[in-house]
Amino acid sequence: MSHDLFLAPPHAFQLSRDLMVPVTVFEVDGEYGVLPSDEIDASDELEVIH
């Protein structure tokens, strides 16, 4: 995960191109992460950024 929101979108775009799936940028505990959208559960405590 990254502390820099400026870096998260380019990494998300590259991941979506590599995996050929939609991805979600999220924030948890002040850090940003990216993962395939279908892996997010409704019960996860994430703040979705984009």
Side-chain angles (χ1 to χ4, degrees), residues 29-47:
D29 295 333
E31 296 182 355
Y32 302 98
V34 177
L35 73 142
S37 297
D38 63 349
E39 293 185 17
I40 296 177
D41 295 326
S43 62
D44 292 340
E45 295 182 20
L46 304 174
E47 180 180 339

Side-chain angles (χ1 to χ4, degrees), residues 14-45:
Q14 185 62 48
L15 181 63
S16 69
R17 288 187 53 153
D18 289 346
L19 299 178
M20 300 297 290
V21 297
V23 297
T24 301
V25 177
F26 63 92
E27 178 184 10
V28 63
D29 295 333
E31 296 182 355
Y32 302 98
V34 177
L35 73 142
S37 297
D38 63 349
E39 293 185 17
I40 296 177
D41 295 326
S43 62
D44 292 340
E45 295 182 20

